[in-house]
Amino acid sequence: MVEKVVRTINEDDDLINKSIIENRKANESEYIPDIGRMMRNDIERCKAYFDDPKDEAEGRDLYTDITSRYDCIIPNLGAGLYQCVPEQHWYDPEISGETLVYNLKCIMNKMIAYQAINYSTPQLNELVEERKVMGNKVFIVHGHDEAAKYEMARTLEKGGFEAVILHEQPDSGLTIIEKIERYADVDFAVVLYTECDLGRAKENDPNDEKYRARQNVVFEHGYLIGKLGRDHVCALVKGNVETPGDISGVVYIPMDSGGAWKTRLGKNMSNIGMQVNLNTLCS
C-alpha cells in the first residue's frame, strides 16, 4: 500500500512538472513573436527617422526608448557605439547630430541581426534581404587634382548616386582616420590616382622620378579594399602615374579624356548589384 501511494505521488509530480514545462513553452512561443513584432516596429521607426532626421528631439526620444528596451534583450547592444568618441557613454541623453544618426543605425543593424539569428519567418527574412540592397552612396578617394575629383562627382551624381567626398563632410572634432571610418560606410568606392607627387627609389637617378598619387590615396585604397572588398572598389588612373606594386590583382582603369572610363566604372558597379543606368552615367 505504501509503495502504491509513493508511486502515485511520484506520478502526480511528473504530471505537474510536465504541465509546468508545457505552460512555459506555450508562454515562450507567445513571447518570442511579441519581441519580433516589437523589434520589427522599432526598426521601421528608425528607418522613418533616417528619411527625415531634422527633429533631433524626436530622434533622442527614439534613441532613449530603444536603448532602454533592448539593452536587456540584445547582448552587447552598446558595443561599438561612440567608437569615434570612446570617452562618451553610449546612452547619452544629450546625443545629437551625426552621432545620433550613427548610433541609431548601429542599433537598428543589431536588431536586424538579432532577428536573423533568433527567428526565422518570411517577414524577418525580408528585413535581412533589405540589408543586401545596395545604397546609392559612393566614396571618392582623391589627391590634389580638383578637375578629376569634380568630374567623378558630377558623373556619379548624373547617374543618380551620392558622391561622398571626405573634406566636404563635417569634422565633428574627429581625426582624419575617424572621419574615414565614419563616412566610408558605403557599398562602393572609387580611388583616383592622379599626377600629384614625384618619387623614385633612392638609388635611382633623380631624372628617373615618376608621378605618384598622394600617400593618403594609396592608404585609403588599401583600407577600402579591406573594408568593402576588392570588387567594391574601383581604381582609376589619370595621366602617367606609377601605381603601387603591393596591391596585387587590382585592375586600374585609365581615366581617358574620351570618357570610356565611365562605361567601365558603371559595369563594375553593376557587377556587384548596384542599380546603374549607363545612359545617364555616361551622358
Side-chain angles (χ1 to χ4, degrees):
M1 178 65 70
V2 173
E3 181 181 349
K4 185 176 181 180
V5 170
V6 170
R7 186 179 299 115
T8 302
I9 292 172
N10 288 338
E11 288 173 353
D12 287 344
D13 285 345
D14 290 340
L15 287 172
I16 291 170
N17 289 334
K18 184 178 180 180
S19 176
I20 290 172
I21 292 171
E22 288 177 350
N23 286 335
R24 184 181 298 159
K25 286 182 177 179
N27 290 336
E28 286 175 352
S29 66
E30 293 175 359
Y31 179 62
I32 288 175
D34 285 344
I35 293 179
R37 283 192 294 269
M38 176 178 69
M39 203 170 281
R40 190 159 60 245
N41 180 60
D42 285 331
I43 289 170
E44 293 304 320
R45 291 171 63 198
C46 287
K47 289 180 179 178
Y49 178 69
F50 298 147
D51 288 340
D52 186 21
K54 295 177 183 176
D55 188 347
E56 289 199 341
E58 176 188 344
R60 277 192 290 271
D61 289 342
L62 176 61
Y63 177 74
T64 302
D65 187 20
I66 289 179
T67 52
S68 60
R69 180 176 298 157
Y70 296 106
D71 188 27
C72 60
I73 296 175
I74 302 177
N76 299 316
L77 178 67
L81 304 184
Y82 283 103
Q83 63 173 2
C84 299
V85 192
E87 68 274 10
Q88 178 67 63
H89 205 282
W90 69 273
Y91 58 76
D92 174 23
E94 301 301 321
I95 188 172
S96 63
E98 292 286 341
T99 306
L100 172 60
V101 173
Y102 174 83
N103 278 12
L104 273 174
K105 283 184 178 179
C106 287
I107 291 172
M108 183 187 75
N109 290 339
K110 289 185 180 185
M111 288 192 286
I112 292 173
Y114 184 86
Q115 287 183 322
I117 292 169
N118 291 277
Y119 315 128
S120 180
T121 68
Q123 294 87 353
L124 297 181
N125 289 338
E126 286 176 10
L127 286 171
V128 176
E129 287 299 317
E130 272 189 31
R131 291 291 299 141
K132 298 179 182 178
V133 176
M134 295 294 172
N136 75 327
K137 292 184 177 182
V138 178
F139 192 87
I140 299 177
V141 176
H142 61 88
H144 288 167
D145 191 327
E146 296 291 310
K149 177 182 68 175
Y150 286 118
E151 184 179 8
M152 176 59 69
R154 285 195 302 269
T155 297
L156 291 170
E157 288 163 359
K158 281 192 297 184
F161 298 95
E162 179 183 344
V164 179
I165 299 173
L166 193 64
H167 72 80
E168 294 180 354
Q169 311 308 315
D171 291 330
S172 303
L174 305 177
T175 64
I176 295 296
I177 186 61
E178 288 170 341
K179 283 188 69 176
I180 294 171
E181 289 173 342
R182 173 171 294 190
Y183 295 108
D185 185 19
V186 297
D187 290 306
F188 198 81
V190 291
V191 183
L192 304 181
Y193 279 79
T194 54
E195 298 177 344
C196 295
D197 292 347
L198 285 168
R200 60 179 173 83
K202 65 180 182 180
E203 64 271 13
N204 289 356
D205 188 275
N207 294 323
D208 292 336
E209 288 186 331
K210 297 179 180 178
Y211 283 115
R212 292 177 177 176
R214 298 287 296 169
Q215 291 179 344
N216 73 285
V217 171
V218 179
F219 168 76
E220 291 172 37
H221 188 187
Y223 171 83
L224 289 165
I225 287 176
K227 178 179 175 63
L228 306 178
R230 196 170 63 191
D231 56 340
H232 288 244
V233 182
C234 187
L236 295 99
V237 176
K238 181 181 178 182
N240 186 24
V241 180
E242 182 182 53
T243 54
D246 59 347
I247 307 182
S248 58
V250 171
V251 176
Y252 295 88
I253 299 174
M255 200 170 181
D256 61 296
S257 58
W261 61 270
K262 298 177 184 178
T263 301
R264 294 185 63 182
L265 171 63
K267 288 181 177 178
N268 275 273
M269 296 170 70
S270 180
N271 189 53
I272 64 163
M274 300 187 82
Q275 299 299 312
V276 180
N277 185 327
L278 287 177
N279 290 328
T280 56
L281 187 74
C282 302
S283 61

